[in-house]
Short mmCIF file of all heavy atoms in Angstrom, two decimals:
data_model
loop_
_atom_site.label_atom_id
_atom_site.label_comp_id
_atom_site.label_asym_id
_atom_site.label_seq_id
_atom_site.Cartn_x
_atom_site.Cartn_y
_atom_site.Cartn_z
N ARG A 444 -137.16 -44.52 72.85
CA ARG A 444 -135.75 -44.57 72.50
C ARG A 444 -135.52 -45.30 71.32
O ARG A 444 -135.91 -46.46 71.29
CB ARG A 444 -134.74 -45.14 73.73
CG ARG A 444 -133.41 -45.03 73.45
CD ARG A 444 -132.89 -43.89 74.11
NE ARG A 444 -131.44 -43.73 73.95
CZ ARG A 444 -130.86 -42.61 73.48
NH1 ARG A 444 -131.53 -41.52 73.33
NH2 ARG A 444 -129.54 -42.57 73.25
N CYS A 445 -134.93 -44.67 70.19
CA CYS A 445 -134.80 -45.41 68.93
C CYS A 445 -133.39 -45.61 68.64
O CYS A 445 -132.60 -44.76 68.83
CB CYS A 445 -135.65 -44.60 67.89
SG CYS A 445 -137.24 -44.30 68.19
N ARG A 446 -133.17 -46.62 67.70
CA ARG A 446 -131.79 -46.93 67.39
C ARG A 446 -131.80 -47.47 65.88
O ARG A 446 -132.65 -48.43 65.58
CB ARG A 446 -131.15 -47.87 68.36
CG ARG A 446 -129.70 -48.27 67.94
CD ARG A 446 -129.13 -49.20 68.95
NE ARG A 446 -127.87 -49.78 68.50
CZ ARG A 446 -126.74 -49.49 69.17
NH1 ARG A 446 -126.72 -48.70 70.27
NH2 ARG A 446 -125.58 -50.04 68.73
N VAL A 447 -130.90 -47.15 65.06
CA VAL A 447 -130.71 -47.67 63.79
C VAL A 447 -129.26 -48.10 63.68
O VAL A 447 -128.35 -47.28 63.84
CB VAL A 447 -131.05 -46.67 62.72
CG1 VAL A 447 -130.84 -47.40 61.32
CG2 VAL A 447 -132.41 -46.26 62.85
N ASP A 448 -128.90 -49.37 63.39
CA ASP A 448 -127.48 -49.82 63.36
C ASP A 448 -127.42 -50.82 62.21
O ASP A 448 -128.33 -51.06 61.45
CB ASP A 448 -127.09 -50.23 64.74
CG ASP A 448 -127.90 -51.45 65.28
OD1 ASP A 448 -128.55 -52.22 64.42
OD2 ASP A 448 -127.96 -51.66 66.46
N ASP A 449 -126.23 -51.53 62.22
CA ASP A 449 -126.01 -52.50 61.16
C ASP A 449 -126.95 -53.69 61.29
O ASP A 449 -127.23 -54.38 60.25
CB ASP A 449 -124.53 -52.98 61.31
CG ASP A 449 -123.71 -51.94 60.72
OD1 ASP A 449 -123.97 -51.12 59.94
OD2 ASP A 449 -122.42 -52.11 61.15
N GLY A 450 -127.53 -54.07 62.48
CA GLY A 450 -128.38 -55.10 62.62
C GLY A 450 -129.81 -54.84 62.19
O GLY A 450 -130.66 -55.78 61.96
N GLY A 451 -130.24 -53.56 62.26
CA GLY A 451 -131.54 -53.24 61.98
C GLY A 451 -132.03 -51.99 62.67
O GLY A 451 -131.28 -51.14 62.96
N VAL A 452 -133.27 -52.00 63.05
CA VAL A 452 -133.92 -50.83 63.86
C VAL A 452 -134.47 -51.38 65.05
O VAL A 452 -134.98 -52.54 65.04
CB VAL A 452 -134.80 -50.05 62.99
CG1 VAL A 452 -134.15 -49.54 61.68
CG2 VAL A 452 -136.04 -50.80 62.63
N TRP A 453 -134.59 -50.54 66.12
CA TRP A 453 -135.46 -50.94 67.30
C TRP A 453 -135.93 -49.66 67.96
O TRP A 453 -135.43 -48.55 67.80
CB TRP A 453 -134.64 -51.78 68.20
CG TRP A 453 -133.43 -51.29 68.96
CD1 TRP A 453 -132.04 -51.73 68.61
CD2 TRP A 453 -133.41 -50.51 70.17
NE1 TRP A 453 -131.29 -51.05 69.49
CE2 TRP A 453 -131.95 -50.41 70.43
CE3 TRP A 453 -134.25 -49.86 70.93
CZ2 TRP A 453 -131.61 -49.69 71.55
CZ3 TRP A 453 -133.87 -49.19 72.03
CH2 TRP A 453 -132.47 -49.03 72.34
N ARG A 454 -137.06 -49.87 68.59
CA ARG A 454 -137.62 -48.78 69.40
C ARG A 454 -137.96 -49.43 70.78
O ARG A 454 -138.54 -50.42 70.86
CB ARG A 454 -138.98 -48.32 68.69
CG ARG A 454 -139.70 -47.38 69.52
CD ARG A 454 -141.01 -46.88 68.98
NE ARG A 454 -141.93 -48.04 69.11
CZ ARG A 454 -143.02 -48.16 68.50
NH1 ARG A 454 -143.45 -47.35 67.41
NH2 ARG A 454 -143.80 -49.29 68.57
N ARG A 455 -137.60 -48.64 71.80
CA ARG A 455 -137.87 -49.10 73.20
C ARG A 455 -138.82 -48.08 73.82
O ARG A 455 -138.51 -46.93 73.89
CB ARG A 455 -136.60 -49.21 74.09
CG ARG A 455 -136.83 -49.72 75.40
CD ARG A 455 -135.58 -49.83 76.20
NE ARG A 455 -135.13 -48.45 76.65
CZ ARG A 455 -133.95 -48.05 76.70
NH1 ARG A 455 -132.94 -48.84 76.46
NH2 ARG A 455 -133.66 -46.78 77.02
N ARG A 456 -139.89 -48.60 74.38
CA ARG A 456 -140.77 -47.81 75.20
C ARG A 456 -140.74 -48.37 76.63
O ARG A 456 -139.97 -49.32 76.89
CB ARG A 456 -142.22 -47.82 74.66
CG ARG A 456 -142.38 -47.14 73.26
CD ARG A 456 -143.77 -46.61 73.11
NE ARG A 456 -143.87 -46.00 71.74
CZ ARG A 456 -143.80 -44.68 71.68
NH1 ARG A 456 -143.55 -43.86 72.55
NH2 ARG A 456 -143.97 -44.17 70.41
N THR A 457 -141.65 -47.98 77.46
CA THR A 457 -141.56 -48.30 78.93
C THR A 457 -141.22 -49.70 79.20
O THR A 457 -140.18 -49.98 79.84
CB THR A 457 -142.74 -47.93 79.58
OG1 THR A 457 -143.15 -46.62 79.26
CG2 THR A 457 -142.72 -48.16 81.07
N PHE A 458 -141.91 -50.64 78.68
CA PHE A 458 -141.74 -52.13 78.99
C PHE A 458 -141.50 -53.02 77.80
O PHE A 458 -141.44 -54.22 77.82
CB PHE A 458 -142.90 -52.64 79.77
CG PHE A 458 -143.14 -51.97 81.08
CD1 PHE A 458 -144.29 -51.25 81.33
CD2 PHE A 458 -142.16 -52.09 82.13
CE1 PHE A 458 -144.39 -50.62 82.43
CE2 PHE A 458 -142.33 -51.52 83.37
CZ PHE A 458 -143.57 -50.77 83.58
N VAL A 459 -141.44 -52.32 76.61
CA VAL A 459 -141.42 -53.06 75.32
C VAL A 459 -140.33 -52.61 74.43
O VAL A 459 -140.09 -51.46 74.22
CB VAL A 459 -142.83 -52.93 74.54
CG1 VAL A 459 -142.78 -53.66 73.23
CG2 VAL A 459 -143.99 -53.31 75.50
N ILE A 460 -139.57 -53.61 73.84
CA ILE A 460 -138.66 -53.31 72.84
C ILE A 460 -139.03 -54.07 71.53
O ILE A 460 -139.32 -55.20 71.60
CB ILE A 460 -137.19 -53.84 73.22
CG1 ILE A 460 -136.69 -53.04 74.48
CG2 ILE A 460 -136.26 -53.70 71.95
CD1 ILE A 460 -135.31 -53.61 74.98
N GLU A 461 -139.12 -53.22 70.49
CA GLU A 461 -139.60 -53.87 69.11
C GLU A 461 -138.40 -53.66 68.35
O GLU A 461 -137.76 -52.60 68.15
CB GLU A 461 -140.78 -53.11 68.60
CG GLU A 461 -141.97 -53.27 69.49
CD GLU A 461 -143.21 -52.61 68.78
OE1 GLU A 461 -143.90 -53.15 67.84
OE2 GLU A 461 -143.54 -51.49 69.29
N ARG A 462 -137.93 -54.76 67.64
CA ARG A 462 -136.94 -54.88 66.77
C ARG A 462 -137.34 -55.33 65.37
O ARG A 462 -138.22 -56.12 65.24
CB ARG A 462 -135.79 -55.77 67.24
CG ARG A 462 -135.24 -55.41 68.61
CD ARG A 462 -134.45 -56.61 69.15
NE ARG A 462 -134.05 -56.45 70.43
CZ ARG A 462 -133.09 -56.01 71.09
NH1 ARG A 462 -132.12 -55.52 70.38
NH2 ARG A 462 -132.94 -55.88 72.46
N ARG A 463 -136.54 -54.85 64.36
CA ARG A 463 -136.70 -55.32 63.05
C ARG A 463 -135.39 -55.40 62.41
O ARG A 463 -134.66 -54.38 62.33
CB ARG A 463 -137.54 -54.34 62.15
CG ARG A 463 -138.97 -54.04 62.64
CD ARG A 463 -139.76 -55.20 62.46
NE ARG A 463 -141.19 -54.90 62.60
CZ ARG A 463 -141.85 -54.82 63.88
NH1 ARG A 463 -141.17 -54.94 64.98
NH2 ARG A 463 -143.14 -54.46 64.05
N ALA A 464 -135.01 -56.68 61.95
CA ALA A 464 -133.78 -56.77 61.26
C ALA A 464 -133.81 -56.22 59.73
O ALA A 464 -134.98 -56.15 59.25
CB ALA A 464 -133.39 -58.30 61.19
N TRP A 465 -132.90 -55.80 59.28
CA TRP A 465 -132.81 -55.35 57.83
C TRP A 465 -133.49 -56.37 57.02
O TRP A 465 -134.13 -55.99 56.00
CB TRP A 465 -131.47 -54.99 57.39
CG TRP A 465 -130.90 -53.79 58.08
CD1 TRP A 465 -129.89 -53.69 58.90
CD2 TRP A 465 -131.49 -52.37 58.03
NE1 TRP A 465 -129.66 -52.33 59.42
CE2 TRP A 465 -130.63 -51.57 58.81
CE3 TRP A 465 -132.46 -51.80 57.32
CZ2 TRP A 465 -130.90 -50.15 58.90
CZ3 TRP A 465 -132.81 -50.40 57.49
CH2 TRP A 465 -132.02 -49.71 58.30
N SER A 466 -133.24 -57.52 57.16
CA SER A 466 -133.92 -58.73 56.25
C SER A 466 -135.42 -58.69 56.28
O SER A 466 -136.04 -59.12 55.42
CB SER A 466 -133.34 -60.03 56.55
OG SER A 466 -133.67 -60.33 57.96
N GLU A 467 -136.03 -58.15 57.45
CA GLU A 467 -137.49 -58.10 57.59
C GLU A 467 -138.12 -56.85 56.97
O GLU A 467 -139.14 -56.71 56.89
CB GLU A 467 -137.79 -58.20 59.03
CG GLU A 467 -137.28 -59.46 59.75
CD GLU A 467 -137.55 -59.45 61.29
OE1 GLU A 467 -138.26 -58.38 61.78
OE2 GLU A 467 -137.02 -60.23 61.90
N ILE A 468 -137.25 -55.87 56.70
CA ILE A 468 -137.78 -54.49 56.20
C ILE A 468 -137.69 -54.47 54.79
O ILE A 468 -136.72 -54.73 54.09
CB ILE A 468 -136.81 -53.36 56.85
CG1 ILE A 468 -136.91 -53.44 58.37
CG2 ILE A 468 -137.32 -52.08 56.30
CD1 ILE A 468 -135.99 -52.51 59.09
N LYS A 469 -138.91 -54.09 54.19
CA LYS A 469 -139.02 -54.12 52.78
C LYS A 469 -139.23 -52.57 52.25
O LYS A 469 -139.07 -52.31 51.16
CB LYS A 469 -140.21 -54.91 52.17
CG LYS A 469 -140.10 -56.35 52.61
CD LYS A 469 -139.03 -57.09 52.05
CE LYS A 469 -139.08 -58.50 52.26
NZ LYS A 469 -137.84 -59.01 52.91
N ARG A 470 -139.62 -51.71 53.22
CA ARG A 470 -139.97 -50.30 52.80
C ARG A 470 -139.75 -49.39 54.00
O ARG A 470 -140.05 -49.75 55.15
CB ARG A 470 -141.40 -50.28 52.34
CG ARG A 470 -141.93 -48.93 51.95
CD ARG A 470 -143.33 -49.09 51.32
NE ARG A 470 -144.25 -49.78 52.15
CZ ARG A 470 -145.24 -49.21 52.87
NH1 ARG A 470 -145.40 -47.97 52.92
NH2 ARG A 470 -146.06 -50.05 53.62
N CYS A 471 -139.18 -48.29 53.69
CA CYS A 471 -139.00 -47.25 54.75
C CYS A 471 -139.55 -45.96 54.23
O CYS A 471 -139.25 -45.48 53.12
CB CYS A 471 -137.47 -47.03 54.98
SG CYS A 471 -136.62 -48.37 55.81
N VAL A 472 -140.45 -45.41 54.94
CA VAL A 472 -141.16 -44.13 54.48
C VAL A 472 -140.98 -43.00 55.49
O VAL A 472 -141.49 -43.25 56.74
CB VAL A 472 -142.65 -44.45 54.35
CG1 VAL A 472 -143.49 -43.38 53.81
CG2 VAL A 472 -142.85 -45.78 53.40
N PRO A 473 -140.53 -41.80 55.17
CA PRO A 473 -140.47 -40.81 56.11
C PRO A 473 -141.96 -40.16 56.17
O PRO A 473 -142.69 -40.11 55.25
CB PRO A 473 -139.65 -39.67 55.39
CG PRO A 473 -138.95 -40.40 54.30
CD PRO A 473 -139.80 -41.62 53.92
N ARG A 474 -142.24 -40.10 57.40
CA ARG A 474 -143.62 -39.41 57.73
C ARG A 474 -143.51 -38.17 58.66
O ARG A 474 -142.37 -37.94 59.14
CB ARG A 474 -144.47 -40.51 58.58
CG ARG A 474 -144.76 -41.75 57.83
CD ARG A 474 -146.00 -41.68 57.02
NE ARG A 474 -146.30 -42.66 56.05
CZ ARG A 474 -147.12 -43.64 56.31
NH1 ARG A 474 -147.87 -43.76 57.34
NH2 ARG A 474 -147.24 -44.60 55.39
N ALA A 475 -144.48 -37.45 58.83
CA ALA A 475 -144.41 -36.30 59.61
C ALA A 475 -144.04 -36.66 61.11
O ALA A 475 -143.20 -35.89 61.75
CB ALA A 475 -145.76 -35.55 59.60
#
Side-chain angles (χ1 to χ4, degrees):
R444 184 96 183 132
C445 301
R446 178 182 172 110
V447 178
D448 57 25
D449 287 337
V452 302
W453 64 259
R454 179 185 70 197
R455 184 181 73 215
R456 292 211 183 260
T457 308
F458 300 112
V459 178
I460 296 177
E461 294 182 85
R462 302 172 195 259
R463 300 290 190 277
W465 288 114
S466 60
E467 299 171 10
I468 300 171
K469 305 292 186 238
R470 180 171 51 104
C471 297
V472 182
R474 299 273 169 99

